[in-house]
Amino acid sequence: MLDELNPAQREVVELRRHCVAVACPGAGKTKTIATKAAMLLLAEPNATVGAVTFSKDAALELRERILALAGPATKKRLLAGTFHSLAYKQLGRRDGGAPDIATEGDRTGLLIQVLSDVGLDWKVEDAIAAIEAIKTNFGQVQSGSAEEILYRGYQDSLDRNGKIDFQDMLRLAVEGMQNGTIEPYPFTYLLVDEFQDTDPLQYQWIALHARAGSIVTVVGDDDQSIYGFRSALGFRGMESFIRQFDAQPVVLGNNYRCRAEILGAADRIIRNNRDRIPKELVAHKGPGGQVQFQRFPDEYAEAVAAMEHLAVALRSGQSAAILARTNRILDPVEAVCRSHGVKYYRASGKSILSRPEAALMCNLLELVQKTKSTGVDALLSFVGIGTQELRLLHSKGRANTEQRQRKEILELGLSEASADRYRELMKRLAEWRSLCDRQFYSLVLEGAREWMMEHTDADPARRAITTTYDVLSRLNGPFSDRLEFLRRDNNEPAADALILTTMHSSKGLEWDRVWIIRAEETVVPDEKSTESEERRLFYVAVTRAREDLRLSMAKKNPTSRFVLEAGIDAAIAT
């Protein structure tokens, strides 16, 4: 097993003291952890090994890799899991066993009631974020604050219902180990993956095991710490562990993923962060990669160029992805992929075209072309006509697309506002049908888009309307043909699908070719985050590419400072 490791990886495996392995992107950290665990299990027949990861899938994969190397006979001495699953098992060892875990629905319901009881006009998601932050901080909260009132009310509600939430698993396990009511796991060795992502509670769980006698190896990369909004400790946590436990730092600087040109650009970017563990990055694959930066007139020209370039790679059997700072930036790319019939997979977030506003726009166009006679109610509901008034419209025959006199509608019992909305929609339908008969499809599409946008202020709804319009406007022929094409859902995971995802969701993944869109100063760095964390996020995105990296932007905005730091000149100004 050791023969397959480089000197730094071998040093991590052979160390029998606390160790902090600083693993650059593509450094083979999982291979290193699995090999160390297997070596320990084989070399020390009485040793028990714990392996901790952040997700259930990662824990299962790590466990399988360890057992594949160490053999099934070592299975009983290996415990692999997430922080929360291991903490929950600790709670179950107490008298009375582990309490019930509140479901997402339980938590939402309890919070709605608590917010009402304490008189706080907060959104549920904001309340959840506040409570999670307090629990990550060991339950510490400013006395008398709104957050304390919310937290106490929520915890009381959980207690009354005999439940704990997801965060409580770790918090209660740490509290129990601190006060002596819960024993730490009797691990001889403890290995922790993605250590840069640990929050204060998770750090303390690890530290308590180290103090109890476990020899701890943590593996992570402070340069890939991108969850500051979740209280991840990053560089501070790694430095603290080295000092607190006299841990041996070992830098795994060999990158087995990226060509030298790509890794060099990434290195030039990340060196601009001050608080980081110094490391020399080496591209094991050597030179031969491509890095290019391009400017485009707008985001749609950018999306077309990215799609066309990467579609060629997919046809040749390579993997490819388009990365963006946020999900909404991917909407134009999805529109282009759908209209060109390119297989893609929206890996982070739901397809914007699956929203009800997209279906409603299609329904409207079918009514315009008279290929469908039903669906008027959905359009009337969209403009604010309620269920009771819709029943009144149906009271003397079906609601149809024919114009009615205002007096007649009022006599049915509808309000004046609803009568006006009904008549306005019928007037628009008549106009659009006339244009459709003369094959002025683009005018109808524009009119339908404007009408729907007039009746909603919700951002996701407006994005769905815009994206649906963008797809249909790039197709030809009558609406029936365009809608048939649109409904051929080519958004599905597959080996030959173009991946559309965010920079955050790309962490831990890699592709042969990567295109980062909207690399603009107004987009990344995001003003809501710190510059150093945004730089780490951009670094993560850049290092997802194996052979080919493209970065691009729309000309209307300044170039991102991170592109300038990478030293990439604009090769093509389209």
Side-chain angles (χ1 to χ4, degrees):
M1 285 187 278
L2 288 176
D3 293 341
E4 298 179 8
L5 304 179
N6 64 41
Q9 291 171 328
R10 190 175 304 156
E11 182 181 358
V12 172
V13 170
E14 293 179 334
L15 274 172
R16 296 297 181 267
R17 55 178 287 194
H18 297 311
C19 171
V20 173
V22 186
C24 79
K29 65 181 179 63
T30 305
K31 177 181 180 179
T32 304
I33 295 173
T35 302
K36 178 161 190 172
M39 292 287 290
L40 292 169
L41 290 167
L42 291 171
E44 301 182 31
N46 296 319
T48 56
V49 176
V52 188
T53 66
F54 275 82
S55 73
K56 182 179 178 180
D57 288 344
L60 290 172
E61 180 189 351
L62 182 57
R63 183 175 183 274
E64 288 174 2
R65 290 181 69 163
I66 293 169
L67 293 177
L69 293 170
T74 62
K75 183 178 179 179
K76 292 183 179 180
R77 294 186 289 121
L78 171 66
L79 182 59
T82 65
F83 281 104
H84 290 89
S85 67
L86 294 178
Y88 190 65
K89 287 180 182 177
Q90 286 178 290
L91 298 180
R93 294 175 178 177
R94 302 179 304 182
D95 291 339
D100 290 337
I101 303 170
T103 65
E104 202 66 32
D106 292 335
R107 184 168 69 163
T108 300
L110 292 175
L111 273 172
I112 290 172
Q113 185 60 52
V114 170
L115 287 169
S116 175
D117 291 344
V118 301
L120 287 177
D121 186 22
W122 286 21
K123 294 180 179 178
V124 171
E125 54 265 32
D126 293 335
I128 289 172
I131 288 168
E132 288 182 350
I134 293 168
K135 291 188 177 185
T136 299
N137 194 34
F138 306 95
Q140 301 300 309
V141 59
Q142 184 180 347
S143 179
S145 65
E147 286 79 5
E148 185 198 29
I149 294 169
L150 172 68
Y151 178 64
R152 302 302 175 203
Y154 174 64
Q155 287 303 108
D156 288 345
S157 186
L158 282 174
D159 290 342
R160 285 195 306 273
N161 287 274
K163 294 182 182 294
I164 63 171
D165 66 12
F166 189 70
Q167 289 285 102
D168 282 330
M169 295 184 208
L170 201 56
R171 181 181 64 84
L172 293 172
V174 167
E175 283 182 6
M177 286 189 286
Q178 288 174 328
N179 62 32
T181 60
I182 290 178
E183 291 293 323
Y185 283 100
F187 295 133
T188 313
Y189 299 96
L190 175 61
L191 296 91
V192 182
D193 194 12
E194 301 288 4
F195 183 68
Q196 78 280 350
D197 294 335
T198 53
D199 61 30
L201 208 53
Q202 292 159 340
Y203 180 97
Q204 189 63 19
W205 190 90
I206 298 166
L208 287 165
H209 281 86
R211 293 193 192 103
S214 296
I215 298 174
V216 179
T217 297
V218 300
V219 183
D221 183 6
D222 56 308
D223 288 335
Q224 295 186 77
S225 178
I226 59 174
Y227 299 119
F229 59 93
R230 295 182 192 165
S231 303
L233 294 171
F235 168 77
R236 291 182 293 117
M238 299 182 82
E239 284 283 280
S240 176
F241 194 85
I242 291 169
R243 291 194 309 270
Q244 189 175 0
F245 295 101
D246 189 29
Q248 176 69 48
V250 180
V251 175
L252 305 180
N254 261 27
N255 175 294
Y256 293 91
R257 177 188 302 155
C258 312
R259 289 289 183 181
E261 294 83 358
I262 297 168
L263 193 63
D267 191 36
R268 288 190 291 273
I269 294 168
I270 202 61
R271 284 178 181 270
N272 288 278
N273 272 358
R274 292 182 180 179
D275 292 334
R276 61 185 294 266
I277 297 172
K279 51 189 78 74
E280 293 297 324
L281 305 182
V282 178
H284 182 78
K285 292 165 71 173
Q290 291 193 19
V291 180
Q292 190 174 103
F293 173 57
Q294 298 172 265
R295 295 187 180 94
F296 294 93
D298 55 48
E299 58 265 35
Y300 285 97
E302 179 186 36
V304 170
M307 179 274 298
E308 290 179 343
H309 174 74
L310 297 177
V312 173
L314 290 167
R315 286 195 292 270
S316 66
Q318 293 183 307
S319 58
I322 295 177
L323 309 184
R325 177 61 183 82
T326 62
N327 250 313
R328 63 178 301 160
I329 294 174
L330 293 167
D331 290 349
V333 184
E334 180 172 17
V336 167
C337 288
R338 188 66 71 93
S339 61
H340 284 71
V342 172
K343 189 184 294 185
Y344 71 97
Y345 178 52
R346 191 119 185 207
S348 57
K350 294 182 179 179
S351 166
I352 194 66
L353 293 169
S354 66
R355 283 193 56 87
E357 295 80 12
L360 191 65
M361 190 172 190
C362 295
N363 179 53
L364 172 58
L365 296 173
E366 286 177 313
L367 285 169
V368 168
Q369 196 178 328
K370 299 180 181 179
T371 55
K372 186 177 181 180
S373 59
T374 58
V376 180
D377 279 15
L379 294 167
L380 293 172
S381 295
F382 181 70
V383 299
I385 297 179
T387 303
Q388 183 57 37
E389 290 187 312
L390 288 173
R391 289 197 185 102
L392 294 173
L393 279 171
H394 283 278
S395 63
K396 291 187 178 180
R398 293 183 57 81
N400 52 40
T401 58
E402 294 178 4
Q403 186 62 280
R404 298 191 191 185
Q405 294 295 322
R406 191 170 188 270
K407 179 181 177 182
E408 177 190 350
I409 300 172
L410 292 174
E411 287 176 350
L412 289 173
L414 273 70
S415 67
E416 292 189 0
S418 294
D420 290 339
R421 290 176 189 141
Y422 177 91
R423 284 174 53 76
E424 191 237 356
L425 174 58
M426 296 308 121
K427 180 183 176 183
R428 294 284 190 100
L429 275 173
E431 292 171 351
W432 293 332
R433 282 176 169 174
S434 175
L435 290 170
C436 188
D437 290 341
R438 289 177 283 164
Q439 298 186 5
F440 292 149
Y441 300 122
S442 60
L443 292 177
V444 176
L445 263 177
E446 182 62 32
R449 184 188 69 84
E450 288 180 0
W451 176 79
M452 291 191 70
M453 296 290 264
E454 286 170 5
H455 290 92
T456 183
D457 293 324
D459 179 64
R462 295 176 72 87
R463 286 169 49 209
I465 294 164
T466 299
T467 306
T468 306
Y469 167 81
D470 289 334
V471 175
L472 295 174
S473 65
R474 283 167 168 75
L475 299 172
N476 297 312
F479 294 135
S480 54
D481 292 349
R482 301 189 197 200
L483 294 174
E484 182 183 353
F485 192 93
L486 175 67
R487 286 166 177 156
R488 294 175 193 162
D489 190 355
N490 49 334
N491 173 23
E492 57 185 18
D496 58 345
L498 175 59
I499 304 300
L500 312 183
T501 193
T502 62
M503 294 180 181
H504 275 103
S505 296
S506 73
K507 188 170 180 288
L509 304 174
E510 59 185 83
W511 297 274
D512 295 318
R513 296 175 182 267
V514 169
W515 192 306
I516 299 173
I517 61 172
R518 302 295 301 280
E520 303 161 14
E521 194 64 17
T522 53
V523 175
V524 56
D526 187 309
E527 61 182 12
K528 296 177 184 177
S529 180
T530 64
E531 180 177 329
S532 58
E533 174 131 341
E534 289 291 295
R535 185 175 283 110
R536 290 193 293 271
L537 180 60
F538 202 80
Y539 173 76
V540 166
V542 166
T543 54
R544 300 309 94 193
R546 298 187 189 114
E547 303 288 336
D548 181 63
L549 172 68
R550 304 291 168 111
L551 305 100
S552 61
M553 60 174 287
K555 284 183 178 179
K556 60 185 177 183
N557 295 319
T559 305
S560 170
R561 69 193 71 175
F562 304 144
V563 174
L564 301 178
E565 290 170 358
I568 309 168
D569 295 326
I572 300 174
T574 304

